[in-house]
Amino acid sequence: MAGQNVFNEILAGEDTFKFYTDGEWKTSTSGKTVNIINPSTLKPVFKVQACTQDEVNKCVDSAKAAQKIWAKTPLWKRAETLHRFAAILREHSVSIAGCLVKEIAKCQKDSVTEVVRSCDLISYTAEEGIRILAQGKFLVSDSFPGNERNKYCLESKIPLGVILAIPPFNYPVNLAVSKIAPALITGNAVILKPPTQGAVAGLHLIHCLHLAGFPKGLVSAITGKGSEIGDLLTMHPGINCISFTGGDTGISISKKAGMIPLQMELGGKDACIVLEDADLDLAASNIVKGGYSYSGQRCTAVKVVCVMESVADTLVSAVNEKVKKLSVGMPEKNCDITPVVSESSANFIQGLVEDAKEKGATFHQEWKREGNLIWPLLIDHVRPDMRIAWEEPFGPVLPVIRIKTIEEGIHHCNANNFALQGCIFTRDINKAIMISDAMESGTIQINGAPARGPDHFPFQGLRDSGIGSQGIINSINIMCKVKSTVINLPGPSYTMG
Ligand SMILES: NC(=O)c1ccc[n+]([C@@H]2O[C@H](COP(=O)([O-])OP(=O)(O)OC[C@H]3O[C@@H](n4cnc5c(N)ncnc54)[C@H](O)[C@@H]3O)[C@@H](O)[C@H]2O)c1
């Protein structure tokens, strides 16, 4: 099984990939493909199938049938198959990372880290699933007023059915398995709709799953244009839950979806509040790591710094010193700053930068762009009338707002539609807790940059940043529903020990 050839089965020709349904790799009857553009070269690098509506319907039918069998598979066997999947994925982590480098311009070492982290996530989910699903609840009736102890209620967790998993481009492997693994351990079937950029890494991931021996039809991977098959998938009556990570598309999906559980993780504009008593070197390191890693294309990137005016000059110069040291170039060379995912994304970032420039922000570096490669920028003296104060650039440009009071920083965090994470730098833990309580965001980090993970931590956004919560335990729970069985005794019965 070792070696690259194991993936030959998923190829439909040189650099063209099949889709996966009913336990087999197939070409679409549409005869059409979708191009994946390498963000570094701006040239097509791979092609994936443009699946038809008929193919989507067939996937859903197969998933429904396979799920019935899977739900009757003992939990320990489901866990065992997931562990096998993790092991196979680990074996191929370097070659899958190679796809990420070409499709999303993530640097080689971070791409490997993403795949390895995903293997750990799958194994952890298998273990956590065994513990969570092994236990139910036993309730008795006499705790509620007016009742005797004549009813016993057995509560257990049962699968939902077919889960639709839609990850975004920036973590196409990790955010696929964070949906697939909890869905499978809980006895559900999964349909993966990978992002176009990142689809090929996603298909490799699915082939590892195929090799692990899951039942035919239980998992499928449908590729194609979101605009052509997106609505059909997200509004399909055969889908019982949608787990989506991405941008505003998630808002429209949530409005169109039927009466099914939704786990939506959307964008963020994570604010970093820096107080006068902060360890400014620690804050600067975290701002640079948080703001510029993977060229700022992370939902939990630091996306706006709100710093107390009295320490702003010191903080800004510490950040600038570190920005100077960031290497800029191609992902194959493991540069810190690599090309952003698409030309439209680079144009959008440029628009935000130009708006800030026109409105008088201070630039600490010169604006420089070659193709999709954008040099890191720290934009100072940003004011609320500038777009970059509120919008998510998803690029290596970071605005700094100088604040006179802590309340100004809290207000900036709470006035935004996004509310994913935020962070505070201070040496005063009491202040930190009180500011954290006042910041209306899904997670607040104290003296550390925003981050998703470790993957078993809860992870959620408020307002336009999401619905529900992720993290291994929460994902397992969201992908089940509660079923209860009530035993009605002929008369009250009190256990005597
Ligand atoms: N909160 C989080 O956990 C988290 C994590 C990573 C990224 N993000 C967010 O994701 C965004 C960047 O990712 P992106 O550009 O891939 O997001 P996106 O919303 O453009 O796409 C996300 C996914 O939705 C699919 N899609 C597009 N149109 C669709 C439709 N009509 N129906 C069904 N699916 C459709 C895409 O193909 C992709 O797989 C940023 O806003 C970022 O903050 C959030």
Side-chain angles (χ1 to χ4, degrees), residues 166-170 175 193-195 226 230 234 244-247 249 253 265-268 299 392 394 420 459 470:
I166 307 183
F169 82 83
N170 58 347
L175 287 171
K193 210 301 283 161
T234 53
F244 172 94
T245 308
T249 321
I253 291 177
E265 293 292 346
L266 312 183
C299 56
E392 184 188 30
F394 236 56
L420 189 61
F459 181 62
Q470 272 196 86

Side-chain angles (χ1 to χ4, degrees), residues 3-162:
Q4 292 278 84
N5 294 345
V6 75
F7 292 111
N8 279 350
E9 213 181 315
I10 79 174
L11 277 166
E14 204 188 341
D15 297 331
T16 304
F17 290 82
K18 297 178 181 172
F19 76 105
Y20 184 67
T21 179
D22 241 338
E24 286 174 34
W25 289 98
K26 294 183 187 166
T27 52
S28 170
T29 53
S30 72
K32 291 187 202 153
T33 52
V34 178
N35 271 330
I36 297 174
I37 308 294
N38 182 331
S40 307
T41 62
L42 304 180
K43 295 205 172 91
V45 59
F46 298 129
K47 290 189 179 83
V48 291
Q49 305 297 308
C51 291
T52 64
Q53 301 209 341
D54 193 38
E55 283 155 351
V56 169
N57 288 330
K58 284 195 177 129
C59 271
V60 177
D61 288 347
S62 309
K64 283 195 110 48
Q67 190 267 328
K68 302 280 179 230
I69 300 165
W70 184 241
K72 290 182 185 160
T73 304
L75 184 52
W76 68 265
K77 276 199 182 172
R78 300 205 297 252
E80 195 179 72
T81 321
L82 278 166
H83 282 304
R84 206 157 47 236
F85 168 33
I88 297 170
L89 185 62
R90 198 178 295 275
E91 205 182 315
H92 298 291
S93 48
V94 173
S95 56
I96 296 177
C99 302
L100 293 175
V101 171
K102 289 184 187 156
E103 289 183 281
I104 60 164
K106 185 173 279 185
C107 78
Q108 173 70 24
K109 69 173 167 21
D110 291 351
S111 295
V112 174
T113 304
E114 176 176 344
V115 184
V116 171
R117 169 185 180 182
S118 303
C119 304
D120 294 337
L121 191 156
I122 297 166
S123 298
Y124 198 106
T125 306
E127 290 306 304
E128 200 68 85
I130 282 187
R131 312 280 168 251
I132 294 174
L133 299 167
Q135 294 183 4
K137 264 192 199 160
F138 172 61
L139 290 96
V140 289
S141 49
D142 64 318
S143 52
F144 199 86
N147 283 270
E148 286 282 4
R149 197 176 190 272
N150 62 342
K151 288 175 190 280
Y152 292 170
C153 177
L154 305 176
E155 186 189 297
S156 59
K157 293 194 168 90
I158 58 165
L160 296 173
V162 182

Side-chain angles (χ1 to χ4, degrees), residues 31 56 168 191 231 276 380 485:
V56 169
I191 295 179
D231 277 0
E276 288 109 333
D380 203 352
T485 303

